[in-house]
Amino acid sequence: MPAKRKSSNDDSEATPTKPKWVDTLARRQFTGNDDEAIGVWFVASKRVENSDLVTQQNRLYLPTEFVKANLVGLLSLEERAMANLVGDMPKAAGREHGGLRVRVYARCGFVSYLWLTRWDGSGGTVIKGDELKLFRSWSDLKKGDKIDFWAFRSGGQLCFAIGRP
């Protein structure tokens, strides 16, 4: 029976099949060998919203239910703390969010060096950073696109492959 995943529409939806592009990209980053298998984990699916594309917001939102169900368990305690994902953090107005440094790969293989963090005010988990506009450009994201978030590690660092299935 296929694994279950959290979904904002249907809690019984099966975990998507890992696309070949994700598997190939992850293996290439990890080993340089397209034929060697490595761990790749499904994190989330969502539709791209206008707020994900607005330059002033400079962030890509990850659905909260997916973060809790699929992402937090992949992180060490130190990484959770860096990403502000430990417990219910007090809301500190004006606090520098920082975050956990991550590599984010577009489907074409372009890499952006970004930050994973949870906003204090909304409690929403986001990927943010100056290179996000480059990631958006290389990914050619448009409002309404369905995208999947996959995670893997390269040299111990958390990486994401994000794109259309």
Side-chain angles (χ1 to χ4, degrees):
M1 182 171 187
K4 301 295 182 191
R5 71 171 170 129
K6 293 295 279 180
S7 168
S8 55
N9 299 329
D10 176 6
D11 285 344
S12 65
E13 206 171 316
T15 299
T17 302
K18 180 175 41 175
K20 184 166 178 50
W21 72 268
V22 170
D23 197 48
T24 299
L25 187 146
R27 279 185 276 128
R28 197 170 290 150
Q29 302 315 311
F30 186 72
T31 66
N33 179 348
D34 288 350
D35 296 323
E36 189 171 330
I38 66 161
V40 178
W41 301 275
F42 171 77
V43 174
S45 286
K46 68 172 276 176
R47 296 264 174 210
V48 175
E49 301 290 335
N50 272 339
S51 60
D52 294 314
L53 302 173
V54 175
T55 306
Q56 292 83 355
Q57 292 206 15
N58 198 33
R59 58 95 175 135
L60 185 59
Y61 176 78
L62 282 88
T64 301
E65 67 273 14
F66 284 113
V67 171
K68 289 178 183 174
N70 302 329
L71 179 59
V72 172
L74 299 177
L75 304 176
S76 69
L77 289 177
E78 181 181 2
E79 289 171 325
R80 290 178 201 172
M82 292 173 71
N84 195 24
L85 291 170
V86 177
D88 293 324
M89 299 296 286
K91 296 176 180 157
R95 181 180 72 82
E96 179 62 37
H97 284 89
L100 173 65
R101 191 71 157 160
V102 295
R103 282 186 272 175
V104 178
Y105 291 87
R107 188 174 178 146
C108 66
F110 180 84
V111 64
S112 297
Y113 296 89
L114 299 168
W115 301 94
L116 174 70
T117 193
R118 180 171 61 178
W119 293 137
D120 290 332
S122 67
T125 303
V126 298
I127 293 174
K128 66 178 188 109
D130 292 338
E131 293 187 10
L132 188 61
K133 59 184 159 267
L134 296 171
F135 172 79
R136 284 189 199 114
S137 179
W138 282 98
S139 298
D140 193 30
L141 298 179
K142 297 189 177 24
K143 182 182 177 200
D145 285 349
K146 180 188 179 288
I147 58 172
D148 290 336
F149 296 72
W150 295 87
F152 62 96
R153 290 196 178 268
S154 179
Q157 184 178 25
L158 182 66
C159 302
F160 291 97
I162 303 173
R164 294 175 198 90

